[in-house]
Amino acid sequence: MKKANHPLLGIHYVLMMVFIYLPILMIVIFSFNNTRLSGNWEGFTLDWYVSLFSNRYVMEALGNSLTVALVSTVVSTVLGTLAALSIRKWSRKGRAGLNGLLYLPVIIPDIIMGLSLLVLFSQMKIDPGKMTIIIAHITFSLSYVYVVVSARLANMGRQLEEAALDLGASRWQTFRHVTLPQISPGIIAGALIAFTLSLDDFMISFFVAGPSSTTLPIYIYGQVKRGVSPEINALCTLLIIVSVILILLAQYVLNRGRGQKKHKMLPM
Amino acid sequence: MLMIELIGIQKQFQGQDVVHPLSLSIKEGEFLTLLGPSGCGKTTILRMIAGFEQPTEGEIWLAGQQVTDVPPNKRDLNLVFQHYALFPHMTVEENIAFGLKMKKMPKSQIEERVEEAVTMTQLTPLKARYPHQLSGGQQQRVAIARAIANKPKVLLLDEPLGALDLQLRKNLQSELKHLQRALGITFVYVTHDQEEAMMLSDRIVILNGGKVEQIGTPREIYAAPKTLFAATFVGENNIFSSPEGLFAVRPEKISLAQADSASARKTGVIQDVQYFGNVHKLMVQLEHEPMRVTLALDLADDHTWQIGDVIGLNWEDKDQVVIGS
């Protein structure tokens, strides 16, 4: 049977895509525009990308961003995975409660997360800096890692581990040879998501950053106050590309790990 | 020699009896089947023997040793799971070698054992495949090969053929029986399929609602069911009530008689005729009683029966099996 496709549906689809992607497309296009005064197309250039990499402040912010993202990703991946593993031993009721608590940071508005962390750090007399940003990023990344890994664990069920035990494997051998290989796509995907979120986060970082710990998004925000420059467009374009690649990679790892099973989207 | 002894084992979940106190001895080399409808506790009993569930009360002995508190990885028996539980990230060969590797057996010996298991289950050409590249029947074989490679004292099988289609089931049933004879190890088999249980088992335990209804050889259970449940769950049966209580008569034990004659115990009207080739069955609605009787006639009967014919039914006293209420 042929699917009846109304022509209006096609138009709706195009309009929707324009609505979503036009702003991003503008930034990408103007990052190649051969003029400081954005507005008119003056020809193609890569100058802005070149000058970006010779800009000391940009490089410093990039360094900060990468340090924060790497450390917070490693810590939140380990903690999130351990949380997902240990919570399985809980009773159904306890699990539901703890699940809710671990999901919460996903739902709480960023501005509140940022503000509450700022209050906490100042109460504890911790100076704002890279450390505070890292701690802040761990708190929200952990939840995402937990969600992805525990979905993977639920998908795996208990039978494989029981089979391993039945065949004579110890608890550690079962974890090492059966559980870990089965959930590793979830762990990798969780880590990639955590890294992306950390790299892209502005709101929470803004509250807890200090003068010497400017990350890329904070740098961009600071620059934009003085008008949107083509360098900023170039920087944003690079951030978009990196984020998209990381998320696609996470998606790919998750789907491949699922093997023959049904395609599923990330719980985001 | 006794291989497994269950002494008064009992299982409760949240105060509910899932398995009522049960005592049972299983001999070495025996093929014993736990038979019953879903929810009768048969899988729970199997999981207690395997060590995945702890009995609330009672003891489990394996080959002369108490194993009630021994974890599953320390019990010298293997379970074939209902949905096989093959490791998806390992090849057929790696799956089969898994248990031996975990026990740190020398490599050459592992290879030998794997080879043996693979040959026995006819998996040699599929050794390098992954589970998702196999059909259901092949996966089933891998699950069995993986278990027998460990040379366990007992093999536990949880509805191992439940997910397969009828023809494949029939083939694998005879393969299983053959395998059990060749290996000589004790099989404890769980199924809800009474025909499968009859065909494979040395002894059958019929379970209903967590309670044992009857334990016996297939022949005993068919010829002399002790309870109403046993009488109707295994094979077809006609249950009559008399002032002395209930009794059962198998369809093939009922013979034809002249309607309303002295030699007819009952008279009725044929409601349906079913031809199976080797036998044909008549469904008869009794006169004066709200009951249908099934009788099975063999090839010697060449009468063409019509729906609506009135016939008399008879059977011998010795074929009346008295059952508990």
Side-chain angles (χ1 to χ4, degrees), chain A residues 118-132:
Chain A
L118 176 65
V119 170
L120 179 78
F121 290 139
S122 66
Q123 282 292 317
M124 294 174 73
K125 307 255 184 301
I126 302 174
D127 287 336
K130 256 180 264 176
M131 198 47 165
T132 50

Side-chain angles (χ1 to χ4, degrees), chain B residues 158-203:
Chain B
D158 186 7
E159 306 229 15
L161 308 179
L164 304 173
D165 61 51
L166 191 68
Q167 195 52 49
L168 200 55
R169 278 182 90 117
K170 296 266 172 236
N171 296 340
L172 282 171
Q173 279 167 4
S174 27
E175 267 182 46
L176 265 179
K177 184 77 197 162
H178 182 78
L179 194 71
Q180 194 256 345
R181 284 210 193 101
L183 292 167
I185 52 180
T186 311
F187 273 38
V188 182
Y189 194 93
V190 158
T191 184
H192 64 268
D193 181 339
Q194 48 97 9
E195 249 180 79
E196 193 168 283
M198 295 290 278
M199 174 189 158
L200 293 172
S201 320
D202 295 322
R203 266 196 311 158

Side-chain angles (χ1 to χ4, degrees), chain A residues 76-255:
Chain A
S76 62
T77 302
V78 171
L79 291 180
T81 303
L82 288 178
L85 282 168
S86 64
I87 208 171
R88 288 202 303 166
K89 309 250 176 341
W90 289 42
S91 71
R92 195 182 290 265
K93 252 192 200 155
R95 215 160 48 215
L98 201 63
N99 247 332
L101 284 177
L102 276 161
Y103 277 119
L104 215 53
V106 178
I107 305 160
I108 293 178
D110 281 358
I111 193 162
I112 293 173
M113 283 278 282
L115 193 64
S116 60
L117 282 161
L118 176 65
V119 170
L120 179 78
F121 290 139
S122 66
Q123 282 292 317
M124 294 174 73
K125 307 255 184 301
I126 302 174
D127 287 336
K130 256 180 264 176
M131 198 47 165
T132 50
I133 304 183
I134 288 171
I135 293 172
H137 284 197
I138 291 170
T139 51
F140 67 77
S141 298
L142 197 153
S143 296
Y144 285 93
V145 174
Y146 169 79
V147 169
V148 179
V149 175
S150 61
R152 190 71 210 174
L153 272 170
N155 208 353
M156 179 182 80
R158 293 266 184 197
Q159 257 204 3
L160 291 180
E161 291 164 302
E162 284 189 348
L165 279 175
D166 180 73
L167 290 163
S170 64
R171 298 222 165 257
W172 168 248
Q173 284 176 320
T174 301
F175 177 74
R176 165 80 187 71
H177 295 287
V178 175
T179 316
L180 198 58
Q182 281 300 301
I183 61 170
S184 62
I187 297 174
I188 294 168
L192 287 168
I193 293 167
F195 192 87
T196 315
L197 289 174
S198 170
L199 208 59
D200 294 350
D201 176 70
F202 166 71
M203 189 76 84
I204 297 171
S205 308
F206 185 67
F207 277 93
V208 297
S212 66
S213 59
T214 302
T215 62
L216 276 181
I218 296 175
Y219 174 79
I220 292 170
Y221 176 74
Q223 291 299 301
V224 167
K225 281 199 283 196
R226 288 187 265 141
V228 180
S229 72
E231 276 119 342
I232 290 302
N233 285 335
L235 187 55
C236 289
T237 304
L238 289 177
L239 264 180
I240 292 166
I241 292 170
V242 171
S243 303
V244 169
I245 288 174
L246 286 175
I247 290 300
L248 285 179
L249 203 60
Q251 191 77 64
Y252 171 76
V253 169
L254 264 188
N255 283 334

